[in-house]
Amino acid sequence: MSERTEDWGLRESATFDRRTIHEIQRAADTGIYDIRGFGAKRHLPHFDDLLFLGASMSRYPLEGYREKCATDVVLGDRYASRPLHLDIPVTIAGMSFGALSANAKEALGRGASAMGTSTTTGDGGMTDEERGQSRNLVYQYLPSRYGMNPDHLRMADAIEVVLGQGAKPGGGGMLMGQKISERVAEMRTLPAGIDQRSACRHPDWTGPDDLAIKIEELREITDWKTPVYIKVGASRTYYDVKLAVKSGADVVVLDGMQGGTAATQEVFIEHVGIPILAAIPQAVQALQEMGMHRRVQLIVSGGIRSGADVAKAMALGADAVGIGTAALIALGCNHPRWSEDYQRIGSEAGFYDDYQAGQDPAGISTQDPELAARLDPERAGRRLANYLQVMTLEAQTIARACGKSHLHNLEPEDLVALNMEAAAMARVPLAGTEWIPGMGT
């Protein structure tokens, strides 16, 4: 704010603030809507609005150096003969080769494998780099069918049928032409250099009964060995989870609106879906009413950043979490070392969100060979492994302080909320009271 603005007593509008004015002017200048990545930027109720009740007199803590706090999780043991056994409950969410460089996909596989967890292909198919470096690789089965290969289905450790994404439930994906290299185009059986839109719904079913048939088909292809996940964007969560279970899912993946995306309309990112904090209790309620909580595992994602977020999600009833944007940041996205390069393309380190442009100085969200070569997959994989290790240690620290010998033993009783919105959404008491808004006295 300039001195003149202060001297003249000018007042900024809360409704038409400078960001809003800029967007109106941009729309008037160009006649097109804004597209970006990175996920929702508006303030939303989140895990920061919850606190743990550590042990003191009425609860007995665990000794950190002598008493174990286990972190392992089994995913997909409802029907599959080969469920995933992960060492930690933090998985890597689906991000496509196309949206990300081959080096970035390899780095995600390396980092996840070093910590004994899984990574996910994303739209566009499976790359040799990712499969070769991933101990557990989840193959996404998306509406677009880009890169869909039955042989790759059989090579996967799990299959994730994607019905929605947190940043854009009800919407399809985008991959701009500047990122459609010859290799990306060949994998997707589409022209190089042409913008690609992914469909918002699957072409061969219209409801849960048809989905049940599709899931059985996938099981037949993989000899009933491979777990089948269903991924939904958080919106009508209670009903979506019940229908996913009815359709035969081994695992439900629930993605809240803070989840990232490589390229989507900003109006979609900021105004569609619900926060993951509000979605988890609805999902858990649906599973409990069906007698399926912990039998059908629940993976939640959308803005997970730290071990505290992991622990809070699990206390609310999740079996594991997924990270996407945070994993890219761990690899080196938005790193200050590239500050001058970010400035040259009109951004700043910490603010870069034009993933669709293919100009990422860090070599992560690009198909430019020179930029992609900047990312050393071995070094980036070690960074991701370090980050996953810290998240796990943080979650264990909190669990021990609550007297828990396993992260899955965390429960809503261990949590309180700082404000009424979070208390109502998470269905835990307002701090210092026994009151849960909307749940009676």
Side-chain angles (χ1 to χ4, degrees), residues 101 103-104 331-332 335 337-345 359-364 366 368-380 383:
S101 66
N103 282 358
L331 296 187
H335 198 284
R337 70 179 294 196
W338 305 113
S339 290
E340 292 184 4
D341 298 83
Y342 285 122
Q343 290 167 9
R344 275 195 288 269
I345 58 176
Q359 300 176 331
D360 181 9
I364 296 171
T366 183
D368 182 298
E370 292 186 9
L371 293 175
R374 293 182 175 186
L375 187 75
D376 179 344
E378 292 188 24
R379 182 175 183 274
R383 289 177 57 87

Side-chain angles (χ1 to χ4, degrees), residues 209-383:
D209 292 335
D210 293 341
L211 175 57
I213 296 172
K214 175 58 67 174
I215 288 176
E216 187 161 347
E217 177 185 316
L218 294 172
R219 294 194 192 283
E220 292 291 338
I221 290 172
T222 59
D223 297 325
W224 290 76
K225 297 176 181 177
T226 308
V228 177
Y229 301 3
I230 292 180
K231 180 178 181 178
V232 296
S235 53
R236 294 175 173 85
T237 305
Y238 174 82
Y239 298 104
D240 289 344
V241 169
K242 285 205 165 186
L243 289 172
V245 174
K246 180 179 182 293
S247 299
D250 293 297
V251 175
V252 175
V253 181
L254 178 64
D255 195 23
M257 70 172 290
Q258 294 101 320
T261 184
T264 301
Q265 304 96 317
E266 170 148 336
V267 68
F268 216 138
I269 295 172
E270 300 288 2
H271 298 283
V272 182
I274 65 173
I276 194 63
L277 188 66
I280 298 174
Q282 294 181 37
V284 172
Q285 179 186 352
L287 291 169
Q288 288 174 337
E289 288 178 358
M290 300 180 80
M292 290 291 183
H293 188 220
R294 305 301 188 195
R295 185 178 175 199
V296 171
Q297 287 81 42
L298 177 65
I299 302 174
V300 303
S301 55
I304 304 290
R305 308 152 301 177
S306 67
D309 290 346
V310 175
K312 290 171 185 178
M314 298 185 74
L316 291 176
D319 295 277
V321 305
I323 60 171
T325 302
L328 299 187
I329 293 170
L331 296 187
C333 178
N334 273 287
H335 198 284
R337 70 179 294 196
W338 305 113
S339 290
E340 292 184 4
D341 298 83
Y342 285 122
Q343 290 167 9
R344 275 195 288 269
I345 58 176
S347 188
E348 293 276 359
F351 293 85
Y352 180 69
D353 59 13
D354 289 326
Y355 295 163
Q356 76 285 352
Q359 300 176 331
D360 181 9
I364 296 171
S365 58
T366 183
Q367 297 304 316
D368 182 298
E370 292 186 9
L371 293 175
R374 293 182 175 186
L375 187 75
D376 179 344
E378 292 188 24
R379 182 175 183 274
R382 287 195 297 271
R383 289 177 57 87

Side-chain angles (χ1 to χ4, degrees), residues 357-436:
Q359 300 176 331
D360 181 9
I364 296 171
S365 58
T366 183
Q367 297 304 316
D368 182 298
E370 292 186 9
L371 293 175
R374 293 182 175 186
L375 187 75
D376 179 344
E378 292 188 24
R379 182 175 183 274
R382 287 195 297 271
R383 289 177 57 87
L384 175 59
N386 288 341
Y387 171 58
L388 291 170
Q389 179 171 316
V390 170
M391 292 181 81
T392 305
L393 291 171
E394 289 175 339
Q396 286 176 298
T397 297
I398 289 172
R400 285 193 181 97
C402 294
K404 311 295 183 178
S405 60
H406 198 293
L407 293 184
H408 285 154
N409 294 339
L410 290 165
E411 56 190 328
E413 191 269 341
D414 296 314
L415 294 170
V416 294
L418 289 172
N419 54 57
M420 288 190 291
E421 290 83 0
M425 290 182 185
R427 303 180 188 179
V428 300
L430 191 65
T433 78
E434 296 182 358
W435 179 50
I436 303 175

